[in-house]
Amino acid sequence: MTDSTQTAGGVRRSTRELSKAAVSGWLGTAMEFMDFQLYSLAAAIVFNKIFFPDVSPAIGLIAAMATYGVGYVARLVGAFYFGRMGDRIGRKKVLFLTITIMGASTTLIGVLPPYQTIGIAAPILLVALRLVQGFGAGAEIAGATVMLVEYAPVKRRGLISSLVSLGTNSGTLAASGLWALLLLVLSEEQVIAWGWRIPFLLSFVLLLFGVWMRSNLKESPVFEERDEVEPKAEGAIESGLKQRKGRAFLLSLGLRFGQAGNSGLVQTFLVGYIASSLAVSRSVPTNAIVYGSLLGFATIPLVGLLGDRFGRRPVYLALSLLTAIIAVPMMATIASGSTVMLTIAMVLGLNIGVLGLFAVESVTMAELFGSRTRFTQLAVAKEIGGTLATAIGPVMAASLTAWTQHWWPIAAMLIVYSLITLVSAWVSPETRGRDLVRLEDAL
């Protein structure tokens, strides 16, 4: 007899099917973050020489990073487009499309001819593939989250959905490891000539595995159940849907803002700030992020378990409040310049204020929305909240630290971001155990 679990939709799924859904969600998110990290590292290291060689090194770097940035514009478009499709035709079909689009565009970047071969067409094609990559990625993490949350047994929903968050660590570490290995074993000339293509071409292997995995995955049981419930409930809940429109979405933006803002400061801005302002080798904060990401493999499922045990609100409140409390001592410790203490401070900040919040964010935001528009609202909320926070944060932090010549603006921003999430969690309803087949939002 096959072991089975009772899902949120009341439909029984075998343990094997749940495992496949979990691996599929983890793999897609890992692939998304690996693709974007591969590109960001390539843009910072070699793309200015390969695709923009006829301009100064500074302008070439700006152009290369600009091609990185256009992906975030495409992500928002993809979130809306694929989110609506996922709510209309099903989660499985959309997740098959998103992983195919991401993997194919990343692989094609690895076979692009350089500027010396086809001239201006090379950077144009690079931007086009970057846009396609972002378009597919915009709904990937939201779709994987929705699928896992709707697949998971109610009492283990937080733990199982946290596997999506683990994918971010896996992808980032894999991409960073590949580039580190390349730079270690190849000369600069070899990397520029052909070595840079290897990480992009390797993503084709993940693409094949991901496509196979998702083609054999059954549809979300909640989506199947919704198709049976929706026609009967249409008239009864229509007025309620109109009354609640937008409230859960705004609340989810607040829940997302703290995690995304803290991520932009800790994982992006602090690395450059420590190297330039504190005269510490860039390898120190970079290694700290790696150590923190490795610890995250324990932190993320632990937070998922705590959310299942005590509820989403208490965990959200505790993590956001703790981040605000440690912001000043964390920055003071970092400013001390001690390699060991700096590393400890960054590892704690990353796990509490970024990865911990991310783990509870995945399940909470999905539970806030009704099954009719869950995919769309979750995808768009994640992309808008993330883009606003990560786009504004590092630029504002750079401006304020340059003006004040001090670290306190960084601490202040961490506090503000965390308090926004704290207030959002305070006014949020408890969503643990919510019936995910319900068509209306939680408030």
Side-chain angles (χ1 to χ4, degrees):
M1 190 167 103
T2 305
D3 290 337
S4 62
T5 56
Q6 189 82 13
T7 67
V11 179
R12 299 199 76 84
R13 287 281 191 256
S14 70
T15 303
R16 182 181 178 185
E17 289 166 345
L18 176 59
S19 299
K20 286 168 63 176
V23 172
S24 170
W26 164 80
L27 179 65
T29 306
M31 191 169 176
E32 173 191 346
F33 275 77
M34 189 182 82
D35 289 351
F36 266 59
Q37 184 71 358
L38 284 176
Y39 194 100
S40 64
L41 290 171
I45 297 170
V46 297
F47 275 1
N48 59 322
K49 299 171 183 143
I50 295 169
F51 295 102
F52 307 97
D54 285 354
V55 297
S56 69
I59 298 300
L61 180 59
I62 291 172
M65 295 309 293
T67 64
Y68 172 74
V70 298
Y72 283 93
V73 178
R75 286 179 71 99
L76 182 55
V77 178
F80 184 77
Y81 179 82
F82 286 116
R84 293 190 66 184
M85 185 185 293
D87 283 324
R88 190 175 68 253
I89 68 172
R91 318 328 191 184
K92 173 187 171 178
K93 294 176 182 177
V94 169
L95 284 172
F96 181 86
L97 286 174
T98 56
I99 201 167
T100 303
I101 290 170
M102 285 193 312
S105 57
T106 303
T107 302
L108 288 174
I109 289 174
V111 299
L112 278 180
Y115 183 91
Q116 288 88 342
T117 303
I118 60 173
I120 192 65
I124 290 174
L125 288 172
L126 180 66
V127 172
L129 287 174
R130 177 62 175 164
L131 286 169
V132 174
Q133 186 190 57
F135 183 63
E140 171 59 39
I141 193 169
T145 299
V146 168
M147 181 67 102
L148 262 190
V149 168
E150 293 184 345
Y151 242 93
V154 177
K155 293 183 179 180
R156 287 291 176 262
R157 198 183 284 164
L159 172 62
I160 291 173
S161 64
S162 73
L163 295 177
V164 172
S165 304
L166 282 181
T168 65
N169 285 18
S170 305
T172 301
L173 288 171
S176 301
L178 279 172
W179 268 104
L181 183 62
L182 278 179
L183 296 174
L184 179 66
V185 302
L186 299 179
S187 66
E188 183 178 353
E189 292 75 18
Q190 289 173 319
V191 170
I192 294 174
W194 54 269
W196 68 271
R197 300 180 185 277
I198 295 174
F200 292 95
L201 296 176
L202 284 176
S203 69
F204 185 68
V205 178
L206 283 181
L207 168 62
L208 292 178
F209 183 61
V211 166
W212 173 78
M213 178 69 70
R214 289 189 174 176
S215 64
N216 290 286
L217 187 64
K218 289 187 177 180
E219 180 55 85
S220 154
V222 168
F223 186 83
E224 291 181 349
E225 186 82 1
R226 192 199 76 179
D227 282 348
E228 299 177 9
V229 172
E230 187 166 15
K232 302 174 185 177
E234 189 74 36
I237 69 162
E238 189 63 36
S239 59
L241 285 171
K242 290 180 180 178
Q243 291 173 359
R244 294 181 173 88
K245 186 177 181 180
R247 293 173 61 187
F249 182 81
L250 291 175
L251 189 61
S252 69
L253 285 180
L255 294 174
R256 170 74 169 143
F257 207 78
Q259 185 275 333
N262 293 342
S263 176
L265 291 177
V266 175
Q267 294 184 242
T268 303
F269 176 74
L270 272 181
V271 174
Y273 173 80
I274 289 169
S276 60
S277 299
L278 303 181
V280 175
S281 170
R282 187 177 291 269
S283 64
V284 174
T286 302
N287 289 338
I289 296 298
V290 172
Y291 300 147
S293 297
L294 290 172
L295 181 59
F297 284 98
T299 300
I300 288 171
L302 175 61
V303 170
L305 281 170
L306 292 174
D308 285 331
R309 174 67 177 83
F310 300 105
R312 320 304 181 206
R313 283 184 75 246
V315 175
Y316 243 124
L317 291 170
L319 289 172
S320 53
L321 179 60
L322 187 56
T323 305
I325 290 172
I326 70 169
V328 171
M330 182 184 84
M331 285 308 306
T333 301
I334 289 173
S336 71
S338 166
T339 300
V340 174
M341 297 306 295
L342 183 155
T343 300
I344 293 173
M346 288 193 69
V347 167
L348 286 176
L350 178 63
N351 277 268
I352 296 171
V354 180
L355 300 180
L357 283 175
F358 197 18
V360 71
E361 170 190 296
S362 296
V363 65
T364 307
M365 288 176 64
E367 290 172 332
L368 275 173
F369 300 124
S371 60
R372 172 183 284 179
T373 58
R374 177 172 294 124
F375 200 148
T376 306
Q377 292 200 80
L378 179 59
V380 174
K382 274 186 173 289
E383 293 306 318
I384 290 179
T387 300
L388 283 177
T390 54
I392 294 172
V395 175
M396 183 180 295
S399 302
L400 290 174
T401 52
W403 176 50
T404 61
Q405 295 295 304
H406 204 275
W407 52 261
W408 69 258
I410 307 172
M413 290 179 66
L414 287 169
I415 292 171
V416 170
Y417 282 143
S418 300
L419 289 180
I420 289 173
T421 292
L422 180 71
V423 172
S424 300
W426 182 264
V427 301
S428 172
E430 177 56 63
T431 59
R432 179 183 57 162
R434 186 169 188 262
D435 180 4
L436 297 185
V437 181
R438 295 179 62 175
L439 303 182
E440 73 274 19
D441 294 340
L443 74 162

